[in-house]
Amino acid sequence: MYKSCRIILSTFALFLFFSGSGFITVLSAQGFSIPFYVRDNGTGKDTLQFGFDVNATYCIDYALGEYEEPPLPPDGVFEVRFIDSRNSSGACLGQGIDMNLHNWVAGIKDSFRVRFQGSSPSGGAYPFYFSWPSGLSTYFTSLTLKYSHPDSGAMTVDMLTNSSAVIDNAEIDKLYIICTTLSSGGFINVVSPNGGEHLYAENIHNIQWTSVVVANIKIDYSIDNGSTWSAIVSSTPASSRSYSWNVPNTPSSNCKIKISDANDSTLNDISNGVFYIHLPPTITVLPGSFAVNLHEGDSTYETLTIGNSGLGDLHWQINVPNSSESKIENLNVPAYSKIDKVDASMPIFHSDFFETTTHRNEEQNQYFGQLSSSPLFADGFEDGDYNGWVSNGSGMKEITNTTAANGSQYSYHEYNSPFGHGDGVAYVVDSLRPKYVGLYFRSGSTTQ
């Protein structure tokens, strides 16, 4: 592509996504620009911007981001640009521009002229494809793409009901975008809540909108689908495009927002559909607390019932330590926020963190327990020593390879002990207090 190189720094652009392809750029509260996408049948493609601003002229407005293009490249090099749509006496766009803003006047008819050439010589890059965002009736009462066909004469495409056009005749290299601006002094568009949202009473929701040529706006809400309205704020700067709303405690499934020009209530926009205001969740936990003491080999269950009598979903979580002690460290029931529901069963040693959702008007039982585990300590002396035992007294102690009565290859042997088995070996289980202790003694006879 044959283009001049430049860097533009701008602090006044806010990008907003509309249905259809592309972004519409709202320039502060003074104007807007609309993308116009162009590509040929080869590799050439580019995006132009056209629109209006209260500070724009019909010439090159450098302060608004308009810059003159270099001379046209030779045939066979893709290029698209805006050129003057007026006669030579009023022409002031030089070689052309790729962003073209005209002065905003309500109800005015205006036009933009586009010149294009393909990436292949002698018409080999045709057809040309043109596209633009949908939803442009917010800005115009009429918007038409027009060009002159050598055989069919004037051809038009309604850009308010269509979002693309194709030109396949290589003799056509220019087209017009003809528009009529809104008859009002500007426009307002509700962005959020615009229908389908779930809001919770006594929480903050950011009301969002777009507007052009509106200084201040008024915001109202309705809980009866627009039959009656209550004021949220009587006047706030339209340029902020967001207002923090403390959602009132007025549960309803038929809520809407209306945003109006603070000086002209007839200029307004209302949510496209209803949204919801819910009461916050109401938590009940029974019992309020409980203690579980588990020792090695034990298994027990306790039930915690978490109920939610509110209209919002209650998000709760339980933290369980992954340690040798079976103890619930924390039951955390944070502020409500909706998440996906997950399985409610959880043995204590199998998870460090658990979370779920209890939906409105619902109770859910949570069970806690520990699976049985292996013995604390066992030794058949099969390793050939008695390491791990505490040696007492002066008696002689050894591990022999004499087959024990239970079939073990090794056995523990003790002799010359002045105090009998008091001189033997011991294993200390500290404070774990095992419930069962099992021992097998062999006195020396192979028949025992």
Side-chain angles (χ1 to χ4, degrees):
M1 185 184 303
Y2 186 75
K3 285 284 186 181
S4 61
C5 179
R6 60 177 180 271
I7 298 174
I8 304 174
L9 300 178
S10 174
T11 60
F12 54 76
L14 172 68
F15 292 93
L16 301 162
F17 185 74
F18 284 75
S19 61
S21 59
F23 289 84
I24 296 174
T25 306
V26 177
L27 309 173
S28 69
Q30 307 301 314
F32 61 91
S33 69
I34 296 168
F36 186 70
Y37 304 101
V38 183
R39 67 179 179 89
D40 65 10
N41 198 35
T43 59
K45 61 180 180 179
D46 199 2
T47 303
L48 303 179
Q49 296 278 342
F50 72 97
F52 290 86
D53 192 283
V54 295
N55 297 311
T57 69
Y58 282 90
C59 296
I60 301 175
D61 300 302
Y62 294 96
L64 298 179
E66 297 178 347
Y67 290 87
E68 184 179 1
E69 294 291 301
L72 284 170
D75 186 32
V77 177
F78 177 87
E79 177 59 21
V80 59
R81 62 182 63 184
F82 289 108
I83 59 175
D84 268 298
S85 58
R86 298 171 297 165
N87 57 41
S88 58
S89 61
C92 56
L93 294 186
Q95 299 291 338
I97 55 180
D98 61 6
M99 179 176 181
N100 195 1
L101 300 177
H102 289 183
N103 183 251
W104 170 271
V105 178
I108 190 175
K109 187 173 182 178
D110 209 336
S111 63
F112 303 83
R113 192 182 187 193
V114 178
R115 186 192 186 285
F116 50 94
Q117 68 181 42
S119 57
S120 298
S122 303
Y126 282 75
F128 264 76
Y129 303 90
F130 307 88
S131 61
W132 52 89
S134 58
L136 299 182
S137 58
T138 302
Y139 304 86
F140 305 101
T141 57
S142 68
L143 185 64
T144 304
L145 185 148
K146 182 178 180 180
Y147 59 93
S148 180
H149 194 282
D151 299 323
S152 306
M155 304 292 292
T156 61
V157 177
D158 187 345
M159 297 176 67
L160 297 183
T161 58
N162 298 277
S163 58
S164 64
V166 179
I167 295 178
D168 56 7
N169 191 300
E171 296 183 36
I172 304 172
D173 63 358
K174 298 179 183 66
L175 61 82
Y176 284 88
I177 299 173
I178 303 171
C179 63
T180 302
T181 60
L182 295 175
S183 58
S184 64
F187 74 87
I188 297 172
N189 182 50
V190 174
V191 175
S192 176
N194 201 32
E197 295 89 346
H198 291 263
L199 279 55
Y200 293 100
E202 300 173 359
N203 272 248
I204 298 297
H205 179 82
N206 289 326
I207 299 172
Q208 296 177 312
W209 65 91
T210 61
S211 62
V212 169
V213 199
V214 176
N216 297 288
I217 54 102
K218 177 187 177 185
I219 307 176
D220 298 277
Y221 77 100
S222 172
I223 59 173
D224 53 15
N225 199 19
S227 296
T228 60
W229 297 94
S230 300
I232 296 175
V233 60
S234 59
S235 181
T236 190
S239 58
S240 64
R241 291 192 168 80
S242 181
Y243 183 84
S244 295
W245 181 33
N246 187 4
V247 180
N249 194 351
T250 54
S252 173
S253 58
N254 290 290
C255 304
K256 285 190 172 183
I257 287 290
K258 178 170 67 174
I259 300 179
S260 312
D261 186 331
N263 298 315
D264 180 8
S265 60
T266 62
L267 177 57
N268 64 71
D269 190 37
I270 299 175
S271 302
N272 289 342
V274 297
F275 61 92
Y276 305 84
I277 295 179
H278 298 298
L279 285 175
T282 303
I283 183 174
T284 57
V285 180
L286 294 173
S289 64
F290 60 83
V292 178
N293 293 313
L294 296 178
H295 304 295
E296 198 68 34
D298 287 354
S299 179
T300 188
Y301 284 89
E302 298 286 348
T303 301
L304 181 70
T305 301
I306 299 176
N308 176 16
S309 59
L311 292 178
D313 290 338
L314 172 70
H315 173 202
W316 52 274
Q317 64 187 36
I318 294 174
N319 297 298
V320 179
N322 186 15
S323 66
S324 61
E325 295 185 6
S326 175
K327 180 180 66 175
I328 297 176
E329 286 189 341
N330 178 39
L331 171 62
N332 181 23
V333 184
Y336 35 89
S337 61
K338 188 173 182 179
I339 62 169
D340 292 333
K341 191 173 182 179
V342 295
D343 188 4
S345 61
M346 180 195 67
I348 276 184
F349 281 159
H350 287 203
S351 178
D352 292 324
F353 177 75
F354 176 76
E355 61 181 357
T356 189
T357 298
T358 302
H359 300 283
R360 58 181 182 239
N361 299 319
E362 180 182 82
E363 285 190 346
Q364 193 170 107
N365 292 333
Q366 177 65 42
Y367 302 98
F368 302 93
Q370 176 188 357
L371 300 179
S372 299
S373 57
S374 59
L376 286 172
F377 176 80
D379 193 355
F381 303 108
E382 294 302 296
D383 56 358
D385 59 46
Y386 57 92
N387 291 339
W389 294 82
V390 176
S391 179
N392 297 318
S394 59
M396 302 298 295
K397 309 167 188 66
E398 62 181 355
I399 303 300
T400 73
N401 60 2
T402 302
T403 302
N406 67 350
S408 300
Q409 180 182 355
Y410 292 96
S411 62
Y412 172 78
H413 180 214
E414 180 183 328
Y415 58 96
N416 293 335
S417 299
F419 300 101
H421 287 297
D423 288 334
V425 292
Y427 181 81
V428 180
V429 296
D430 296 323
S431 60
L432 293 177
R433 295 178 294 165
K435 184 175 290 186
Y436 303 103
V437 177
L439 297 174
Y440 179 85
F441 296 99
R442 171 183 173 273
S443 65
S445 171
T446 58
T447 61
Q448 276 189 322

